Amino acid sequence: MNFVEELRWRGMLHDIMPGTEELLNKGMVSGYIGFDPTADSLHVGSLAQIMTLIHFQRAGHKPFALVGGATGMVGDPSGKSAERNLLNEEDLQHNLNGIKGQLERFLDFSNDTNSAEMVNNFDWFKEYNFLDFIRDVGKHITVNYMMAKDSVKNRINGDTGMSFTEFSYQLVQGYDFYYLWKNRNCALQMGGSDQWGNIVTGTELVRRKGRGEAFALTTQLIKKSDGTKFGKSEGGNIWLDAVKTSPYKFYQFWLNTSDDDAKTYIRIFTLFDKTTIEAMEAEHTAAPHLRTLQKALAQDITLRVHGEAEYIKAIKSTEFLFGNTGIEFLSELNDEEVLAIFSGVPNFTVDKAELEAGIPVTDLLAAKTTVFPSKGEAKKMVQGGGVAINKEKVGTPDDVYNAGNLINNKYLVVQKGKRNYFLIIVE
């Protein structure tokens, strides 16, 4: 497998330094990508870089994942309009532990020939004092060179300006590359296209300080076809951590991808080969309503991030809301999982003591909650057979519901028509 060609046909390659492809074709190369430790979980915005390392390792090269314990204390200005909050050492260590566990799901850390390794730049910066750094490293890179970078120019010319802390970031990241080149034989740094300036500062430091040669490669920044930011939902970031983003919501994020984006994402975020993907694309073009690409995309990524058991739950949850799965499925879920399924669905809280005494259905739907704006409308729709509670049609407007009707001793699931769901939480 040719690493660069793999990135090209998948539409991932952006910039590549002359000589990089030739180096990679000679034999095993060690290369790295840096990950930001500002949270204890990566999100789907990090998946493109994770996939880059996966392809790199599959092509026979040795991947290093650098988690920036030191640079996380500084903050990368690339693509940002304001300086971010800096983290203390305790918070950083917590975040590093979470990220390491996630990366181990994707990369092989036990291969005898090209095993992945994880490094933390805090290990080589913690004993490096400021005066030694500016003497040994700073003298090799001119201010003119640093000022020419777009990430610096954009911030200096913006409203907020740029602190010296952030200005120094590219020098710190450049030293990471130099350190790994000298001590771990890393000849290549990879990253998103917004990292090109920081990466080539590292190659320049290798040339000037180490009198050696290092290489750079960047991938396309992921964008959505409608112009909105990739990796976001109405609730914020889509995380790889099941606590921060439930497997159901994670699955739905990919399943709801537009046709245009699905054609891009199936190449970037899955390991399907070219022949398989082209066959899927042809099938999707012939019958787009079947959503072949979206289903394959959602299945592949959810399986790799969360495993088969959570993928099956996500499928069942989808079928529960949009298919014929019975109400008993909810009894298999804990409270967090139930609430995740009904995230974005209107919900109401009813006092348990009142329900135990029994509540007429029209009161339940139009007085204790606002599923209907009036008892009259509730009565009319119940009589027309258009209301279901816990997947069973309400028989008459005189029906009474009590604690015996609760699912998991806590929930009533109301349907108004086929697609309008409401969740009543009884406490």
Side-chain angles (χ1 to χ4, degrees):
M1 172 180 160
N2 182 301
F3 172 62
V4 175
E5 281 304 314
E6 186 75 10
L7 296 188
R8 279 199 180 105
W9 80 256
R10 290 181 180 275
M12 296 173 70
L13 189 66
H14 189 268
D15 282 317
I16 183 168
M17 186 174 283
T20 303
E21 193 165 4
E22 291 77 5
L23 173 74
L24 291 165
N25 289 337
K26 289 178 183 177
M28 187 178 78
V29 173
S30 293
Y32 84 97
I33 292 177
F35 293 90
D36 187 351
T38 50
D40 60 1
S41 170
L42 299 172
H43 50 75
V44 294
S46 308
L47 273 178
Q49 298 313 316
I50 294 173
M51 294 304 300
T52 301
L53 286 182
I54 291 172
H55 293 308
F56 190 67
Q57 187 172 41
R58 293 177 78 217
H61 304 296
K62 182 177 178 65
F64 282 81
L66 184 150
V67 183
T71 38
M73 293 181 175
V74 178
D76 181 5
S78 301
K80 298 177 180 67
S81 59
E83 188 165 356
R84 69 186 180 190
N85 294 328
L86 308 184
L87 300 175
N88 61 46
E89 189 174 341
E90 183 180 349
D91 290 339
L92 274 169
Q93 189 56 53
H94 171 75
N95 293 350
L96 295 175
N97 293 339
I99 291 170
K100 182 179 181 182
Q102 291 178 339
L103 289 175
E104 287 173 343
R105 299 180 203 167
F106 298 95
L107 299 170
D108 184 353
F109 283 83
S110 59
N111 189 312
D112 291 337
T113 54
N114 65 332
S115 179
E117 291 189 39
M118 189 167 184
V119 291
N120 176 3
N121 61 10
F122 186 71
D123 292 339
W124 55 84
F125 272 113
K126 62 185 176 184
E127 302 297 337
Y128 212 153
N129 70 53
F130 177 71
L131 292 177
D132 287 344
F133 184 77
I134 60 173
R135 180 195 64 196
D136 298 341
V137 179
K139 69 180 182 181
H140 294 287
I141 303 294
T142 67
V143 171
N144 290 9
Y145 179 88
M146 296 173 73
M147 292 280 288
K149 296 291 185 291
D150 287 340
S151 61
V152 174
K153 287 192 293 186
N154 292 341
R155 284 293 300 279
I156 287 178
N157 295 329
D159 296 332
T160 60
M162 176 182 249
S163 69
F164 175 77
T165 302
E166 285 194 306
F167 181 64
S168 66
Y169 183 90
Q170 64 171 292
L171 202 57
V172 175
Q173 184 173 327
Y175 182 75
D176 285 341
F177 198 175
Y178 170 80
Y179 180 91
L180 291 175
W181 169 82
K182 183 177 181 181
N183 296 281
R184 307 303 292 270
N185 197 33
C186 265
L188 173 66
Q189 184 181 171
M190 298 163 282
S193 59
D194 61 338
Q195 290 295 312
W196 181 258
N198 291 332
I199 293 173
V200 297
T201 295
T203 65
E204 194 67 8
L205 196 56
V206 168
R207 185 181 71 81
R208 296 184 186 186
K209 179 174 171 59
R211 303 194 182 283
E213 191 173 25
F215 298 87
L217 179 153
T218 59
T219 54
Q220 302 278 359
L221 292 182
I222 311 302
K223 297 178 181 178
K224 293 176 71 173
S225 57
D226 64 4
T228 58
K229 189 171 182 179
F230 169 76
K232 297 280 189 180
S233 70
E234 291 181 4
N237 284 326
I238 302 297
W239 300 94
L240 305 190
D241 186 325
V243 174
K244 293 180 183 292
T245 299
S246 72
Y248 167 72
K249 287 182 69 175
F250 186 86
Y251 175 79
Q252 287 292 320
F253 171 79
W254 300 104
L255 190 65
N256 291 324
T257 300
S258 71
D259 287 348
D260 287 341
D261 287 333
K263 292 173 184 176
T264 301
Y265 298 166
I266 197 80
R267 293 169 178 253
I268 294 173
F269 296 113
T270 76
L271 294 175
F272 298 128
D273 60 31
K274 190 174 183 180
T275 301
T276 301
I277 288 176
E278 287 175 346
M280 287 180 183
E281 289 171 338
E283 185 179 340
H284 185 91
T285 300
H289 65 284
L290 297 178
R291 300 178 68 76
T292 301
L293 291 178
Q294 286 92 335
K295 289 177 181 177
L297 177 68
Q299 177 181 2
D300 183 76
I301 301 178
T302 305
L303 281 170
R304 284 188 292 119
V305 173
H306 293 299
E308 185 173 8
E310 293 299 336
Y311 165 71
I312 291 171
K313 271 188 189 177
I315 289 289
K316 286 185 176 179
S317 298
T318 302
E319 290 174 347
F320 175 80
L321 288 177
F322 306 109
N324 297 314
T325 299
I327 196 70
E328 62 277 0
F329 167 64
L330 290 188
S331 64
E332 301 174 18
L333 308 180
N334 60 38
D335 282 351
E336 287 183 358
E337 291 170 329
V338 170
L339 294 175
I341 292 177
F342 292 98
S343 175
V345 169
N347 64 80
F348 309 96
T349 301
V350 171
D351 184 79
K352 191 167 188 177
E354 290 188 68
L355 189 72
E356 285 175 343
I359 302 176
V361 69
T362 52
D363 285 343
L364 181 65
L365 301 180
K368 302 301 181 182
T369 68
T370 56
V371 173
F372 289 92
S374 70
K375 292 183 183 181
E377 289 192 38
K379 180 178 180 180
K380 183 178 179 180
M381 197 159 186
V382 167
Q383 289 173 330
V387 181
I389 294 181
N390 295 344
K391 294 277 186 172
E392 291 186 3
K393 282 188 178 181
V394 178
T396 74
D398 297 321
D399 286 1
V400 175
Y401 285 79
N402 56 42
N405 298 110
L406 290 174
I407 302 299
N408 294 2
N409 203 36
K410 190 171 183 178
Y411 305 107
L412 294 171
V413 178
V414 180
Q415 283 171 271
K416 185 166 67 173
K418 288 186 176 180
R419 298 296 185 188
N420 296 312
Y421 278 90
F422 304 84
L423 182 67
I424 297 177
I425 304 169
V426 179
E427 295 179 333

